[in-house]
Amino acid sequence: IKVFDVTNENDRQYIIMEYVEGQTLETVIKNNKKLPILESVSIVSEVCLALDYIHTQKIIHRDIKPSNIMIGNDRNVKIMDFGVIRDTSVTNATPTGTIIGTLSYTAPEQSLKNMDHKVDIFSLGTVLYELVTGFNPFQSTTYADTFLRIASFSPDPPSRHNPDCNGVLDEIILKSMEKNPNKRYSSAKEFYKVLTKFIESYKTANF
């Protein structure tokens, strides 16, 4: 989403952004539970392009989740809320042990000082998992249990919860959610290329 200005007034900080008519992905999920495979993958592939851009600007979003993804009435997909970004070009690292973002979408290493852009890939993979299954695999009733699930729980393949998924999509999603960041996609652009290739093959197989 376009950010026009960042300002401070009466000791309160403000981000001035464009107004977009539409609804958040969180609202879409609540209304539909889970989305068709192609729609889910297409939305996430567009988010990948946005992430690729901000990552090349040395920015890590750190709070990718359905409520921060806007689906405009024109069907354009936009990332919102740049209030907790990390600018890797400056040395203002968050203290080790501090978790920034929404826990159930947070990568295991996000509280570490040397985290990188791959935390956004983990979060986006979790969003895609939720889109095709209808639930977040890490969300639990308590903060402690959610934290434990992110650290040690391996989610089921999405196809166990949605027969429309196939083994290829299972592998794509689970790779994006690997605990070890070195086993995830190396960049949002790589994630995008894999998703677009899947879209092409899925259309061929189902239409």
Side-chain angles (χ1 to χ4, degrees):
I1 203 165
K2 293 178 182 177
V3 176
F4 297 120
D5 198 8
V6 178
T7 187
N8 188 305
E9 183 177 336
N10 297 326
D11 295 325
R12 297 195 67 178
Q13 295 178 323
Y14 297 88
I15 300 177
I16 302 173
M17 298 176 289
E18 67 174 317
Y19 174 75
V20 177
E21 291 189 358
Q23 56 185 338
T24 66
L25 193 53
E26 180 182 46
T27 300
V28 174
I29 292 172
K30 285 181 178 178
N31 292 338
N32 300 276
K33 299 302 180 184
K34 56 186 176 186
L35 300 184
I37 298 299
L38 278 182
E39 184 177 359
S40 299
V41 177
S42 295
I43 289 170
V44 170
S45 68
E46 288 194 51
V47 177
C48 282
L49 290 177
L51 282 180
D52 178 60
Y53 176 76
I54 68 172
H55 290 164
T56 61
Q57 306 306 306
K58 302 185 184 301
I59 290 172
I60 306 172
H61 188 279
R62 299 201 293 182
D63 199 18
I64 295 296
K65 58 183 178 179
S67 62
N68 283 341
I69 298 171
M70 173 69 78
I71 312 296
N73 289 343
D74 56 4
R75 304 310 295 170
N76 283 332
V77 179
K78 295 185 179 248
I79 298 174
M80 303 189 298
D81 193 353
F82 287 80
V84 295
I85 66 166
R86 177 173 173 182
D87 184 347
T88 59
S89 66
V90 296
T91 56
N92 62 344
T94 303
T96 301
T98 302
I99 295 177
I100 299 294
T102 303
L103 183 59
S104 56
Y105 298 93
T106 298
E109 75 277 14
Q110 196 151 322
S111 63
L112 302 179
K113 193 172 184 178
N114 61 346
M115 69 168 182
D116 62 15
H117 63 280
K118 291 181 183 177
V119 299
D120 287 341
I121 293 174
F122 180 95
S123 299
L124 185 56
T126 305
V127 170
L128 181 53
Y129 190 106
E130 184 173 358
L131 284 176
V132 300
T133 64
F135 68 95
N136 182 310
F138 305 116
Q139 183 67 56
S140 187
T141 55
T142 67
Y143 185 96
D145 194 42
T146 300
F147 186 89
L148 183 63
R149 289 175 70 85
I150 288 171
S152 60
F153 172 73
S154 296
D156 291 332
S159 59
R160 292 190 185 177
H161 305 281
N162 184 346
D164 291 333
C165 290
N166 59 31
V168 175
L169 187 56
D170 282 346
E171 291 181 10
I172 291 172
I173 294 175
L174 294 179
K175 180 174 181 177
S176 68
M177 299 166 66
E178 284 279 0
K179 307 295 184 190
N180 183 343
N182 294 324
K183 293 183 178 181
R184 291 176 213 147
Y185 297 104
S186 60
S187 65
K189 180 174 285 187
E190 183 188 5
F191 195 9
Y192 169 78
K193 289 179 178 178
V194 170
L195 291 174
T196 52
K197 184 177 180 180
F198 171 81
I199 290 172
E200 293 172 3
S201 62
Y202 192 87
K203 285 180 177 178
T204 301
N206 292 276
F207 294 99

